[in-house]
Amino acid sequence: MNPNQRLYIIGAGPGGLEHLSPAAHAALQSCTDLAGHGLYLNLLGPLTEGKIRHKTPMGEELARGTLALDLAASGRITALISSGDAGIYGMATVVFELLARKPKPEWAEVTIEVIPGISAMQAAAARVGAPLAHDFCVISLSDLLTPWELIAKRIDLAGQGDFAVAFYNAVSNKRSWQLLEAQKTLLRYRQPETPVIVAFNVTRKGEQITVTTLGELDPEPLNMLSLVLVGNSETRRVGPWVYTPRGYHTKPELAD
């Protein structure tokens, strides 16, 4: 097998290069070609120097994955870039779906390596403390690829299960009603005072982190770059921090 027929699927982290893993750094250094959305390639800054950049617009994920596989099959060491973690609403699943549904014979020669990255929810949680310290789930509110009826069911079950919830794709220029519906559903299971974190451009220029409550959550100022973390029934604030306890308060050392 040709060692140059290699595809790295890289989770580049939330944006700040300080959160890019050493494994991702090493893979990028070895690459000849980079494929990704222009914003994510730009966030790599000087790490793209000397590489051929293949920029594709948002919504062209299948074309981007096909391009990356074709480049690697042709003997170009290629990196397919996602923000956050490539396996969480990222490009890794696109590549494997192409291999499963629309394979080309030459793709079978490509060595694929998925390199994990820090997700936006992890970065946002770290900014405020430890709101995801107990069981949590992640739900995308975009209904472009998933029927809203299924999304609504998952939100309801997350409420029943008392999971902390990270909402991706919370709002867009064309829709905000899904976040309002999610808020309404979760308010059936937890108090209006439940802490909520709204993160925008976390670790990037223009970062904004707001701590509010479930009852006061307002979708109007938000956009597609906003991430919403909703605590569970035990999530609380201590000074400027937000955390979700795991039961350590029942230990004799911390018991009231």
Side-chain angles (χ1 to χ4, degrees):
M1 186 171 288
N2 185 343
N4 290 336
Q5 290 178 302
R6 178 174 291 274
L7 175 60
Y8 294 104
I9 307 173
I10 295 178
L17 288 181
E18 69 274 18
H19 296 300
L20 189 70
S21 74
H25 268 281
L28 287 167
Q29 288 177 345
S30 72
C31 287
T32 58
D33 293 69
L34 308 177
H37 184 267
L39 171 62
Y40 304 148
L41 294 180
N42 291 340
L43 288 171
L44 293 175
L47 297 179
T48 66
E49 292 178 4
K51 319 292 183 185
I52 300 175
R53 294 164 43 128
H54 304 268
K55 294 191 289 186
T56 58
M58 196 70 75
E60 298 293 330
E61 286 79 15
L62 290 172
R64 189 182 311 148
T66 300
L67 171 63
L69 283 163
D70 286 342
L71 287 167
S74 73
R76 311 288 297 179
I77 302 177
T78 303
L80 179 57
I81 307 299
S82 281
S83 65
D85 182 278
I88 301 176
Y89 303 123
M91 287 300 300
T93 188
V94 175
V95 169
F96 298 123
E97 193 152 20
L98 285 167
L99 292 174
R101 296 176 182 268
K102 296 288 184 179
K104 296 181 181 181
E106 58 267 32
W107 290 352
E109 302 301 315
V110 175
T111 298
I112 297 174
E113 182 176 351
V114 181
I115 299 178
I118 296 173
S119 68
M121 65 181 172
Q122 291 172 289
R127 285 288 197 249
V128 300
L132 302 180
H134 209 331
D135 298 338
F136 68 93
C137 65
V138 187
I139 300 174
S140 170
L141 293 183
S142 172
D143 57 358
L144 290 177
L145 300 174
T146 306
W148 172 251
E149 292 75 17
L150 180 55
I151 297 171
K153 179 180 180 180
R154 289 171 174 170
I155 297 168
D156 189 77
L157 291 172
Q160 291 184 47
D162 198 25
F163 288 93
V165 185
F167 286 118
Y168 277 65
N169 302 315
V171 300
S172 73
N173 292 332
K174 298 180 179 178
R175 58 171 179 82
S176 60
W177 62 268
Q178 287 98 329
L179 184 57
L180 288 171
E181 287 297 313
Q183 177 189 35
K184 186 186 305 181
T185 298
L186 291 180
L187 280 170
R188 296 206 301 265
Y189 300 102
R190 56 197 70 170
Q191 296 299 313
E193 296 78 22
T194 301
V196 170
I197 298 94
V198 178
F200 171 75
N201 263 10
V202 62
T203 81
R204 305 177 189 174
K205 183 179 180 180
E207 174 184 290
Q208 296 177 18
I209 307 289
T210 302
V211 179
T212 182
T213 65
L214 185 58
E216 296 176 349
L217 178 61
D218 180 6
E220 289 306 315
L222 310 187
N223 59 31
M224 279 293 286
L225 296 178
S226 300
L227 175 75
V228 177
L229 305 179
V230 181
N232 70 11
S233 64
E234 296 291 325
T235 303
R236 60 196 67 184
R237 299 186 67 171
V238 54
W241 304 104
V242 179
Y243 77 102
T244 299
R246 289 189 59 205
Y248 292 107
H249 61 284
T250 64
K251 300 288 186 180
E253 302 94 314
L254 290 179
D256 293 333

